[in-house]
């Protein structure tokens, strides 16, 4: 007997710590539910700061300005680091020097769909940014990371030398803003249920069950 197939749309940004935490929780939920369901996961772009300079900004100062004070910056970064550790993630945020413009990273994630490697590439960008302190504003770093995740470097160089993906990202983000979505992560389960924020593993598995129950109800009508 074939398993029910559930589609999951993930809206995230590679510099969002809660998106990384949410990714890990979603993966745990998928693993727990894999005997009952098959899953199809697709990543959609969302730039937390679409107007960021192409060369990025000073990481620490940018977040101090965003959070309102240096003490709040330290408080929030300590908190998110502790939560990340509970999910098996290592955040070395003290290593990061640059808050980047993430549009090129999103363009690479979009093209990674053709190779069915969106999850791997997104994971690689998260790890590079939060664990290794890599400057994602630099094209060479983006190419290195994506190549190591399994993408063709020459194809990526051609992508970044063109305008491919720019309009798609702008249109996708406009659609989300028009729907009132101003923050990430956001998870769209089978185009029916939306989960906002890095919710618990249980919240994801419950959503999977609700989707399955609704499908059963529809088939009985």
């Amino acid at each position: 007997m074939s398993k029910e197939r559930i589609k999951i749309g993930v809206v995230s940004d590679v510099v969002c710590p809660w998106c990384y935490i949410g990714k890990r929780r979603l993966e745990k939920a998928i693993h727990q539910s894999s005997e009952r369901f098959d899953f199809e996961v697709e990543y959609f772009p969302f730039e937390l700061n679409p107007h960021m300079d192409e060369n990025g900004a000073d990481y620490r100062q940018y977040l101090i300005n965003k959070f309102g004070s240096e003490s709040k910056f330290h408080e929030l970064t300590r908190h998110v680091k502790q939560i990340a550790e509970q999910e098996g993630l290592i955040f070395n945020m003290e290593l990061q020097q640059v808050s980047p413009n993430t549009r090129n990273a999103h363009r690479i994630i979009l093209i990674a769909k053709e190779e069915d490697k969106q999850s791997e590439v997104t994971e690689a960008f998260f790890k590079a940014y939060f664990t290794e302190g890599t400057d994602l504003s630099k094209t060479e770093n983006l190419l290195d990371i994506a190549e190591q995740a399994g993408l063709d470097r020459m194809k990526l160089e051609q992508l970044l030398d063109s305008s491919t993906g720019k309009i798609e990202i702008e249109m996708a983000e406009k659609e989300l803003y028009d729907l009132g979505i101003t923050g990430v992560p956001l998870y769209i389960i089978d185009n029916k249920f939306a989960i906002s924020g890095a919710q618990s593993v249980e919240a994801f598995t419950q959503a999977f069950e609700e989707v399955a129950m609704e499908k059963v109800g529809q088939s009985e009508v």
Side-chain angles (χ1 to χ4, degrees), residues 94-128:
E94 68 280 1
L95 299 178
Q96 187 54 257
Q97 302 295 314
V98 178
S99 285
N101 181 302
T102 59
R103 182 157 300 190
N104 282 338
H106 284 300
R107 292 169 68 198
I108 291 172
I109 292 169
L110 281 178
I111 202 171
K113 184 173 185 254
E114 298 176 5
E115 308 293 332
D116 195 26
K117 290 186 178 296
Q118 280 193 315
S119 180
E120 292 87 344
V121 172
T122 301
E123 178 75 23
F125 282 142
F126 277 139
K127 183 178 180 182

Side-chain angles (χ1 to χ4, degrees), residues 10-25:
V10 181
V11 185
S12 67
D13 197 355
V14 296
V15 294
C16 165
W18 294 105
C19 292
Y20 197 6
I21 292 168
K23 182 177 189 293
R24 193 59 84 247
R25 290 175 176 173

